[in-house]
């Protein structure tokens, strides 16, 4: 059986799981193995997603499961995204999650953010939850690497109010190294921009995606999609398999100045 959620299009034998470790062939059907299995939950400031131009000052109930369809050596959530043993989890049905989100409204909650691991590898759960949360009159936010095929994205977008999409690099070789696909992410950004509020984050990893030329090419392209699209240029710190020094703060500020030549809303993070 072929999984059709992301461009890996994994072909899976009986009881085999895909690259993401969250989808598998069970009884001749592709199943969402992490459905309802929550490994992380917190009421976060909306700016932490990061979203700078979406209900600023509000909070959002943030939930994560396990699994990811990329293999970034610098992943800050690698214990739930790329794991040796399955992380501990609790089960929350879509209705239970929507109810919990509603209970947090007096504390400033505006809805649910699907985040921490890559949420779209649990596509069916995110879709069901997004419908239930929308039914409560609350907002749905996706924090994603953008590695999703066009068909499932089109099915989900009517229920999504905002997205923060990682544009990890503007280099095909960078994406291949980390098991991603640049053109798919670009397509996700273009499509989402027509459907909901979109902000983009780029983590600057020293020696990998930090050249002036690459950043300039990236922001020129982003400006061609929407010159008002917020861009977060974020500082790398050692994590997971990467023990190289943190990105120089001056480099972050310099790259942000380049980006501001083309985009009207550029922010620096982790500085």
């Amino acid at each position: 059986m072929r999984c059709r959620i992301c461009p890996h299009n994994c072909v899976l034998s009986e009881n085999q799981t895909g690259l993401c470790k969250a989808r598998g062939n069970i009884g001749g059907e592709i199943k969402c193995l992490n459905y309802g299995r929550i490994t992380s939950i917190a009421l976060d400031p909306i700016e932490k997603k990061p979203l700078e131009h979406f209900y600023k000052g509000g909070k959002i109930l943030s939930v994560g499961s396990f699994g990811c369809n990329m293999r970034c050596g610098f992943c800050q959530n690698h214990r739930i995204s790329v794991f040796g043993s399955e992380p501990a989890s609790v089960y929350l049905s879509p209705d239970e999650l929507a109810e919990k989100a509603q209970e947090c409204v007096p504390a400033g909650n505006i809805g649910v953010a699907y985040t921490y691991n890559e949420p779209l590898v649990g596509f069916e759960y995110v879709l069901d939850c997004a419908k239930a949360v929308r039914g409560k009159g609350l907002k749905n936010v996706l924090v994603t690497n953008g590695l999703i095929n066009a068909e499932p994205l089109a099915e989900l977008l009517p229920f999504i109010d905002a997205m923060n999409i990682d544009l990890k690099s503007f280099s095909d070789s960078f994406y291949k190294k980390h098991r991603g696909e640049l053109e798919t992410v670009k397509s996700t950004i273009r499509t989402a921009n027509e459907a909901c509020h979109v902000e983009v984050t780029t983590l600057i990893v020293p020696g990998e995606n930090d050249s002036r030329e690459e950043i300039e090419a990236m922001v020129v392209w982003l400006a061609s999609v929407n010159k008002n699209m917020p861009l977060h240029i974020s500082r790398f710190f050692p994590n997971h398999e990467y023990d190289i020094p943190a990105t120089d703060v001056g480099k972050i500020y310099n790259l942000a100045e380049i980006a501001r030549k083309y985009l009207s809303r550029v922010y620096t993070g982790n500085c």
Side-chain angles (χ1 to χ4, degrees):
M1 298 294 296
R2 185 182 299 275
C3 178
R4 301 190 182 276
I5 291 298
C6 86
H8 291 301
N9 293 310
C10 295
V11 178
L12 305 175
S13 301
E14 179 73 20
N15 297 322
Q16 184 181 10
T17 59
L19 172 73
C20 66
K21 302 300 182 184
R23 308 185 66 77
N25 181 346
I26 307 298
E29 295 183 32
I30 300 298
K31 298 287 188 179
C32 177
L33 305 178
N34 66 358
Y35 191 99
R37 298 174 65 181
I38 303 300
T39 63
S40 306
I41 185 166
L43 187 62
D44 286 334
I46 194 74
E47 293 85 357
K48 191 176 178 181
K49 296 306 95 189
L51 288 170
E52 191 67 26
H53 291 272
F54 186 78
Y55 289 84
K56 187 174 176 64
K59 295 181 180 180
I60 193 158
L61 186 64
S62 301
V63 296
S65 185
F66 63 81
C68 185
N69 53 0
M70 290 187 67
R71 287 294 179 269
C72 301
F74 45 82
C75 180
Q76 65 179 352
N77 289 321
H78 59 90
R79 290 174 181 84
I80 59 173
S81 292
V82 184
F83 48 88
S85 58
E86 193 172 298
S89 64
V90 297
Y91 181 83
L92 281 178
S93 72
D95 287 340
E96 288 172 331
L97 179 59
E99 184 63 32
K100 188 172 290 288
Q102 190 173 52
E103 290 171 359
C104 293
V105 168
N109 183 42
I110 67 164
V112 173
Y114 310 92
T115 181
Y116 301 136
N117 73 308
E118 171 48 51
L120 293 176
V121 300
F123 173 80
E124 294 85 352
Y125 182 66
V126 172
L127 179 61
D128 291 347
C129 288
K131 291 176 180 178
V133 169
R134 178 67 62 83
K136 298 285 188 182
L138 300 174
K139 304 298 182 183
N140 289 296
V141 169
L142 270 177
V143 182
T144 175
N145 62 26
L147 203 68
I148 182 172
N149 288 336
E151 293 80 5
L153 179 63
E155 186 177 357
L156 180 60
L157 275 176
F159 304 97
I160 300 300
D161 299 285
M163 295 175 69
N164 185 290
I165 303 171
D166 282 340
L167 182 53
K168 296 177 183 290
S169 169
F170 213 60
S171 161
D172 288 317
S173 61
F174 180 100
Y175 266 96
K176 288 177 182 177
K177 176 179 179 179
H178 299 289
R179 305 298 297 272
E181 186 178 276
L182 174 59
E183 289 304 316
T184 295
V185 179
K186 289 168 65 178
S187 177
T188 297
I189 292 172
R190 282 192 299 262
T191 302
N193 177 67
E194 297 296 324
C196 67
H197 177 78
V198 174
E199 302 193 19
V200 170
T201 296
T202 300
L203 179 71
I204 302 299
V205 182
E208 294 218 11
N209 65 345
D210 62 345
S211 74
R212 175 190 180 99
E213 293 76 15
E214 180 174 339
I215 295 301
E216 188 158 25
M218 182 184 77
V219 295
V220 166
W221 179 80
L222 284 172
S224 74
V225 177
N226 181 353
K227 68 178 182 179
N228 294 317
M229 183 180 294
L231 171 65
H232 302 263
I233 296 180
S234 189
R235 186 184 183 205
F236 160 89
F237 285 93
N239 216 322
H240 194 26
E241 298 169 348
Y242 275 46
D243 60 1
I244 60 177
T247 315
D248 180 73
V249 173
K251 166 75 78 170
I252 298 296
Y253 291 146
N254 288 339
L255 294 178
E257 286 305 310
I258 292 170
R260 290 186 181 110
K261 294 179 181 179
Y262 303 93
L263 296 169
S264 62
R265 298 168 172 175
V266 178
Y267 305 93
T268 55
N270 293 341
C271 292

